[in-house]
Amino acid sequence: MRVSKAERLEAVRQGLLVSVLRKLAGDRFALLGLGIILTVMAVAFLAPYVANDPVKVDLAKRLAPSSALFPLGTDHLGRCILSRLIYGTQVSLPTAGLTLAVIMLIGIPIGILSGYCGGRVDNIIMRVVDVLLAFPSLVLALVIAGMLGPGLINVLIALASVWWVEYARFVRAIVLSVKAKEFVLAARASGTSDVGIITRHILPDVLSPVIVLATLDMGKLILVISGLSFLGLGAQPPAPEWGAMLNDGRPYLQAAPQLMLYPGLAIMTVVLAFNLLGDGLRDALDPRDTVRV
Amino acid sequence: MKSYLLRRILYLLPVILGVSIITFGLINLAPGDPAEIILRADGMEPTKEAVAVLREELGLNDPVYIQYGRWLWGVLHLDLGESFRTGNPVAEELFSRLPATLELTCAALVFMVILAVPAGILSALYHHTFVDHLSRLCALLGASLPGFWLGLMLIYFFSVKLGLLPVMGRGGFRHLILPAVTLGFGMAAVYARILRAGMLEVLGQDYIKVARAKGLKEKWVIGRHALKNAILPTVTLFGMSVGYLLGGTVIVETVFAWPGVGKFAVDAIFNRDYTVIQGYAFFMALVFVLVNLLVDISYVFLDPRVRLERTRQG
C-alpha cells in the first residue's frame, strides 16, 4: 500500500523517534553499522591506553612481521602498524565529522533561505549553485586543496566549499514542498513570524532526510579525505592518517603488502558501517515499503 | 525541438562564464606572489626588483577585472597560459594528455556496463535470492572501497603475485585492464542497483504482463520491453558518473602512473604550477558540461515522452 506524502509527514511527526528506533532495532545490518561506528569511536577515545606511541621510529625493527608486541607488524620506519591504525581513528573520524558539520552549517541555511524566500534570492543562489555544479566536485575539491597547499584544514576548506551545494539544493527542494503545505499556510495566517515558521514547522521536516544524507556522506567524506591524504594533500607525516599510511606503504608493495592491506581494510570497514547505518536510517524514515537501491 | 536545443546551449553560456570567474579566482587562493613563485621555479632568487619587473611584465599590477578580461580573452583563443615550470602552453599540454584520460574513462565505462547490466538484470529477475544478496553485497562494497586501495591490491595480486598484468604505465590493452577495473568498479555497483530497481518497477507494469500473456519468449520480454525502459534512469546517471570518473581518474592515474590529465594535475599541484592547476580545473569543467549537454540531448532521442514534452515547451 502506498501512503500519501501528507500522511507520511503526519506519521513522521507523530512518533518519529520511537518508530525510527524500533525499525532500526529490527535492521541487523544497520545495527551492525552502528556497532562498528560506536566501537571505532570507543577505540579513538581509548587510544592512549591501548596503543603504543604511533610516531615512535625504531629503524632496527622496520618491516617486522606480526608478533606479540606488534600484532600487525611494523612499517618502514619500525612504527607499530596497529597503534597507528588505532590513532588513525582520532584523525579520520573527527576530520570527516568536522567537515560534515561545516558543510551542513553552510548548506542547510542557504537551502532554507533559497527555498523559503524564493524570487530573486532563490534565483541568485541557484545560479551560483549551477556554476559550482558545472565542475566535477572531486576535481574542484582537489584543485582548491592543491592551491591552498597540503594540510587537513585546507582539505576541510576545499571540501566544504564544494560540498555545501549538495545540501543547499537538497534542503531547498524539501522546503519548497513543505512551504506549500496547509499547516505552514495556517501558521502564516495565524501570524507566526518567518523565523517561527522556519524553526517550528519547516526545520523538523528538513532534519530527518538530512540526517540520512549526512550519514551516507560521512562514508563518502572519509573516502575522499583519505584519498586526498593518499595523494599527499591531507594529513602530513608523521600523522597516522589511514590514507597517508597507504601512501607511505606504496614503495613496499612487494616486500611488505601488510603496510597497505590494513589501512585499506580500516577505511573500508568504517565507510561500510556508515553506509549500512545510512541505508537503515533511510528505510526507517521512509514508511513506504519501497525497493531498496 | 531545435529551439529546445538552442535554449539548452544558451543556458550554458552564463554557467561557463561563472566557471571562468571561479577558475580565474582560484589562483588567488595560492599562498605567495605568483611572480615570486615563477622566479623560484626558474631557480632564481626572487629579489624585490626582479619580482617588481616580472609583476609588471605579467600585468599583475593591473586591476583584477582587467586581468580577468585578459585571461578570458586568452581562454577564448584556447590559450590557458603557460606552465610556471616548463614554460609550455598549458592548453597544449592538457590536449596532449587528454587521449590517455579519455581512453581510461571509456574503458572504465565499458567495464561498468559489462558488470552492471547483467548484475542488475539478474538481481531483479531473481530478487530476494542468493544472486540478489550477492549483488547487494557487491554494491555496498563498491560504495565503501577506497579506489586507490582497490588499485593497489589489484596490482599486488595480478601484477606482483601472479605476474599476469603490467604494474603501471600506458601501453596496450593489458595495461588498461587494472586501471579501468579500479575506476569502474565503484560506479558499476551503483548502476547495477539502479538498474535492478528500474527493472523491478518495469516488470510489474501491465505491458510486461501482456507481453508474457501473449506468449512472448522471456528473452524478448526482458530484452525488448523491460530493459529498454529500465535503462533510462541509468542514462541520467551517466552524466553524473562522468564527473565522478573524471575526478576518479586523478587517483587512478596516480596509482598506475597513467600519463593522463589527472596525473598531470597532481604533479602540477606538488610543483606549485598554478597556471596548470587553473587550466586543468577549467578544462575539466568544460568537458563535464559538454558531456552533460550530450546526455541531455541523447535523452530527448531515447525517450519519446521527453521528446514530446520538450517539443511542446520549445
Side-chain angles (χ1 to χ4, degrees):
Chain A
M1 191 187 76
R2 271 179 102 87
V3 183
S4 80
K5 194 143 190 205
E7 285 173 87
R8 215 171 99 207
L9 281 171
E10 210 38 53
V12 167
R13 274 163 187 283
Q14 279 166 5
L16 180 81
L17 196 64
V18 180
S19 81
V20 167
L21 288 179
R22 197 173 296 151
K23 277 181 187 155
L24 265 187
D27 186 339
R28 279 174 302 163
F29 291 110
L31 284 183
L32 177 68
L34 186 65
I36 295 173
I37 294 166
L38 292 176
T39 311
V40 172
M41 284 163 94
V43 167
F45 278 110
L46 294 173
Y49 308 103
V50 294
N52 301 320
D53 185 353
V55 293
K56 191 180 153 219
V57 175
D58 186 352
L59 289 177
K61 292 187 182 125
R62 66 195 297 266
L63 301 179
S66 52
S67 60
L69 191 58
F70 304 114
L72 300 181
T74 61
D75 69 2
H76 59 296
L77 295 174
R79 297 172 296 194
C80 171
I81 295 180
L82 182 62
S83 301
R84 287 179 68 73
L85 284 180
I86 289 173
Y87 270 96
T89 56
Q90 291 187 347
V91 184
S92 298
L93 278 189
T95 314
L98 192 63
T99 311
L100 189 63
V102 175
I103 290 169
M104 292 207 289
L105 279 176
I106 302 171
I108 296 174
I110 292 182
I112 290 178
L113 193 73
S114 189
Y116 191 77
C117 294
R120 195 173 285 174
V121 176
D122 182 37
N123 213 346
I124 293 173
I125 293 175
M126 281 304 112
R127 293 299 77 78
V128 173
V129 166
D130 279 349
V131 170
L132 285 172
L133 286 175
F135 289 93
S137 52
L138 272 177
V139 167
L140 190 58
L142 173 89
V143 165
I144 295 178
M147 285 284 185
L148 293 171
L152 274 178
I153 294 291
N154 290 345
V155 164
L156 186 155
I157 296 171
L159 289 174
S161 47
V162 173
W163 217 297
W164 67 267
V165 175
E166 199 185 320
Y167 281 76
R169 274 219 315 183
F170 186 69
V171 168
R172 173 181 174 269
I174 302 169
V175 172
L176 280 179
S177 75
V178 178
K179 197 170 80 164
K181 293 267 182 297
E182 286 86 355
F183 60 85
V184 175
L185 297 178
R188 183 169 302 163
S190 63
T192 314
S193 68
D194 284 340
V195 176
I197 292 176
I198 289 173
T199 50
R200 254 173 287 153
H201 298 286
I202 291 185
L203 211 53
D205 279 353
V206 167
L207 281 182
S208 48
V210 163
I211 290 171
V212 177
L213 183 67
T215 314
L216 292 167
D217 271 355
M218 263 303 273
K220 284 190 199 161
L221 278 169
I222 292 173
L223 278 182
V224 175
I225 292 170
S226 62
L228 289 172
S229 291
F230 172 75
L231 289 176
L233 282 171
Q236 295 302 301
E241 203 272 346
W242 295 338
M245 285 172 74
L246 273 166
N247 193 23
D248 287 346
R250 271 173 79 192
Y252 307 92
L253 182 66
Q254 216 159 342
Q258 75 272 16
L259 256 60
M260 279 181 327
L261 182 67
Y262 301 125
L265 283 178
I267 298 171
M268 195 180 78
T269 311
V270 175
V271 176
L272 188 68
F274 277 106
N275 284 341
L276 287 173
L277 181 64
D279 273 0
L281 273 173
R282 184 172 50 200
D283 292 346
L285 285 166
D286 188 353
R288 292 172 303 171
D289 183 24
T290 48
V291 180
R292 284 171 76 131
V293 173
Chain B
M1 174 75 186
K2 259 186 200 159
S3 66
Y4 163 71
L5 290 181
L6 197 69
R7 263 189 307 143
R8 183 71 183 72
I9 292 167
L10 277 180
Y11 163 79
L12 280 184
L13 291 180
V15 171
I16 292 176
L17 196 72
V19 165
S20 76
I21 293 174
I22 291 187
T23 317
F24 175 76
L26 278 174
I27 206 126
N28 295 316
L29 293 177
D33 186 335
E36 236 182 272
I37 297 162
I38 294 177
L39 285 173
R40 275 189 214 281
D42 286 344
M44 280 189 273
E45 187 51 39
T47 58
K48 251 187 185 163
E49 294 74 31
V51 169
V53 170
L54 193 60
R55 277 189 70 86
E56 194 57 42
E57 221 173 88
L58 293 172
L60 292 173
N61 295 327
D62 295 335
V64 175
Y65 60 89
I66 302 258
Q67 290 185 42
Y68 169 69
R70 201 184 304 128
W71 181 80
L72 190 64
W73 186 248
V75 168
L76 289 174
H77 294 84
L78 288 179
D79 175 10
L80 291 169
E82 283 157 8
S83 156
F84 283 6
R85 198 95 188 151
T86 61
N88 294 337
V90 173
E92 249 174 54
E93 296 260 15
L94 286 171
F95 272 117
S96 70
R97 286 166 172 84
L98 190 62
T101 298
L102 288 183
E103 182 185 311
L104 177 59
T105 313
C106 291
L109 281 171
V110 171
F111 169 72
M112 206 168 76
V113 171
I114 293 175
L115 194 71
V117 172
I121 296 174
L122 286 176
S123 52
L125 289 180
Y126 301 101
H127 69 286
H128 297 315
T129 63
F130 173 72
V131 181
D132 190 21
H133 295 318
L134 187 71
S135 134
R136 180 160 187 231
L137 184 72
C138 283
L140 264 172
L141 284 179
S144 313
L145 264 178
F148 48 98
W149 184 65
L150 175 65
L152 291 167
M153 289 294 116
L154 289 176
I155 291 179
Y156 179 69
F157 282 110
F158 291 97
S159 308
V160 177
K161 274 271 165 195
L162 302 174
L164 288 176
L165 293 165
V167 177
M168 48 185 60
R170 188 179 176 215
F173 175 69
R174 290 178 62 235
H175 282 85
L176 197 55
I177 298 176
L178 292 185
V181 170
T182 308
L183 189 57
F185 185 74
M187 279 317 280
V190 177
Y191 270 78
R193 295 314 283 178
I194 290 188
L195 189 60
R196 170 190 181 270
M199 282 292 280
L200 280 178
E201 204 174 317
V202 171
L203 286 173
Q205 300 285 327
D206 288 342
Y207 60 84
I208 296 291
K209 285 182 199 148
V210 171
R212 280 187 175 145
K214 72 181 181 188
L216 221 55
K217 277 186 183 159
E218 195 62 16
K219 66 176 179 188
W220 288 106
V221 176
I222 303 298
R224 297 211 47 163
H225 295 282
L227 191 60
K228 220 167 147 186
N229 286 293
I231 217 143
L232 277 171
T234 58
V235 176
T236 321
L237 196 73
F238 183 80
M240 280 188 283
S241 54
V242 168
Y244 168 86
L245 290 176
L246 288 176
T249 52
V250 175
I251 285 181
V252 176
E253 285 179 6
T254 307
V255 170
F256 289 92
W258 189 264
V261 181
K263 170 117 185 20
F264 183 52
V266 172
D267 291 343
I269 285 173
F270 289 104
N271 290 327
R272 297 181 73 192
D273 199 343
Y274 295 126
T275 39
V276 171
I277 307 175
Q278 196 183 30
Y280 167 75
F282 189 71
F283 198 69
M284 285 291 112
L286 221 53
V287 172
F288 189 40
V289 165
L290 288 179
V291 169
N292 273 309
L293 177 71
L294 290 179
V295 168
D296 266 18
I297 295 174
S298 70
Y299 211 75
V300 177
F301 286 102
L302 279 173
D303 192 344
R305 286 167 296 190
V306 178
R307 186 161 53 218
L308 205 66
E309 192 182 312
R310 299 217 169 138
T311 311
R312 271 192 207 133
Q313 282 171 3

